[in-house]
Amino acid sequence: MKINIKETQNPAIIKFEFPDFITQNESFEFKNIDEAKNSPLAQQLFYLPFVKTVYISGNFVAIERFSIVEWTDVQEDVAEQIEKFMENGGVIVLPNDNPNKKQPTTVYGETTPNPASLKFVVNKALTKTAAEFKNIDDSKASPLAQELFKFHYVKEIFIAENYISVTKYDSSTWEEITLEIRTFIKQFIENGGIVIDESQIEKTDIQEKQQIKNFDNLDTTSQQIINILEEYVKPAVAADGGNILFDSYDETEKRVKVVLQGACNGCPSSTFTLKSGIENMLKDMLNDKDIIVEALNG
């Protein structure tokens, strides 16, 4: 088993990703070895003196370190230790004898390249269908978003698998509001609030285009573009609190149109990312120097 190391926007936290899911719709947070009694893997990790907190969710283990070390010095050793643990038949989390026991919720903020947006990462799955809300009127599918819009400084909200990107108005600074938002999200989820009702998400034209059934009807180049975006671009923009969606490809103009969501929408560096990053990548991987990438919303 090969563990992939992924940095996060929080320099104290790093992810160790597994090739498959390691939990079944559950997330765990352990602050010390005593709390980790039902996780043999977390217990072993706490023997490392720099481990402060262990998060287990989905297909990854995230570790928050104490400041006595830098991740660059120890991350490879930790990944190797996890791999050996798994190869020796180690158990990540023991079966829960009390399935109704309330699991603690952790929310931490990560900066994004967009100074107007902050990414709030939650230690549990929130939705399988990413959704963007521009105002309170179009947020009926998300009780959490509706409540967040009641804060006068909240401009837009994007909710993905395990994080919420909040875009603010310029009237407030993150120093003034981050703690309030983070606390509110944490308490809302712990109290059983519904983050998003996926059955209520209104299907827009761009969402309809993302359906798998439409993929087979596209030309070969469009399919290649989508595969490149999914494999190489989406993970990077998700790490920055955003999302990118394929809209269309014009064979005559060699023009690729995409939609930016979350922190990517309106980000000052999005133009640079499109031109110097995504566009150059498509030109290289498709061997076509005439390709142009254009964002429909920025």
Side-chain angles (χ1 to χ4, degrees), residues 6 13 50 96 104 108 194 222 280:
K6 292 291 181 67
I13 298 176
F50 54 83
N96 190 356
Y108 64 87
I194 298 174
S222 293
N280 287 342

Side-chain angles (χ1 to χ4, degrees), residues 122-180:
V122 185
N123 68 325
K124 60 183 62 181
L126 302 177
T127 180
K128 295 180 180 178
T129 306
E132 186 174 42
F133 306 106
K134 298 291 188 179
N135 53 62
I136 195 171
D137 290 334
D138 70 5
S139 63
K140 294 178 182 179
S142 174
L144 173 59
Q146 287 187 315
E147 292 300 317
L148 286 173
F149 274 120
K150 293 178 182 179
F151 293 102
H152 68 88
Y153 45 74
V154 173
K155 182 179 181 181
E156 296 178 9
I157 297 167
F158 176 72
I159 301 177
E161 181 180 1
N162 70 326
Y163 68 87
I164 301 150
S165 284
V166 176
T167 301
K168 68 174 182 65
Y169 287 103
D170 293 337
S171 57
S172 300
T173 66
W174 286 119
E175 288 78 9
E176 297 170 329
I177 65 177
T178 297
L179 179 60
E180 183 175 35

Side-chain angles (χ1 to χ4, degrees), residues 34-45:
D34 291 334
E35 289 185 2
K37 291 179 180 178
N38 68 327
S39 174
L41 173 59
Q43 284 189 315
Q44 178 168 318
L45 290 172

Side-chain angles (χ1 to χ4, degrees), residues 72 113 160 173 192 215 225:
T72 51
T173 66
F215 180 85
I225 292 170

Side-chain angles (χ1 to χ4, degrees), residues 155-268:
K155 182 179 181 181
E156 296 178 9
I157 297 167
F158 176 72
I159 301 177
E161 181 180 1
N162 70 326
Y163 68 87
I164 301 150
S165 284
V166 176
T167 301
K168 68 174 182 65
Y169 287 103
D170 293 337
S171 57
S172 300
T173 66
W174 286 119
E175 288 78 9
E176 297 170 329
I177 65 177
T178 297
L179 179 60
E180 183 175 35
I181 296 177
R182 184 171 64 82
T183 302
F184 178 82
I185 293 174
K186 173 181 169 65
Q187 292 177 347
F188 182 93
I189 296 175
E190 284 185 335
N191 291 332
I194 298 174
V195 175
I196 191 168
D197 182 351
E198 296 180 56
S199 67
Q200 297 298 315
I201 297 176
E202 294 183 7
K203 294 296 183 182
T204 63
D205 290 341
I206 186 63
Q207 286 174 322
E208 290 292 343
K209 290 180 181 179
Q210 308 307 309
Q211 300 300 309
I212 295 176
K213 61 184 179 182
N214 294 327
F215 180 85
D216 294 332
N217 297 326
L218 295 173
D219 60 274
T220 302
T221 303
S222 293
Q223 292 179 342
Q224 290 176 322
I225 292 170
I226 291 174
N227 288 334
I228 292 171
L229 293 178
E230 289 288 330
E231 183 173 357
Y232 297 100
V233 181
K234 272 198 175 185
V237 297
D240 288 336
N243 191 29
I244 185 169
L245 301 175
F246 172 82
D247 179 80
S248 61
Y249 170 66
D250 187 308
E251 176 66 35
T252 303
E253 297 182 351
K254 300 295 183 71
R255 185 180 302 275
V256 180
K257 292 184 179 181
V258 297
V259 175
L260 301 177
Q261 294 181 316
C264 294
N265 185 19
C267 177

Side-chain angles (χ1 to χ4, degrees), residues 28 30 33 35-46 54 56 85 91-94:
F28 304 89
F30 306 108
I33 196 169
E35 289 185 2
K37 291 179 180 178
N38 68 327
S39 174
L41 173 59
Q43 284 189 315
Q44 178 168 318
L45 290 172
F46 275 116
V54 177
I56 300 176
F85 177 87
V91 176
I92 297 175
V93 179
L94 296 171

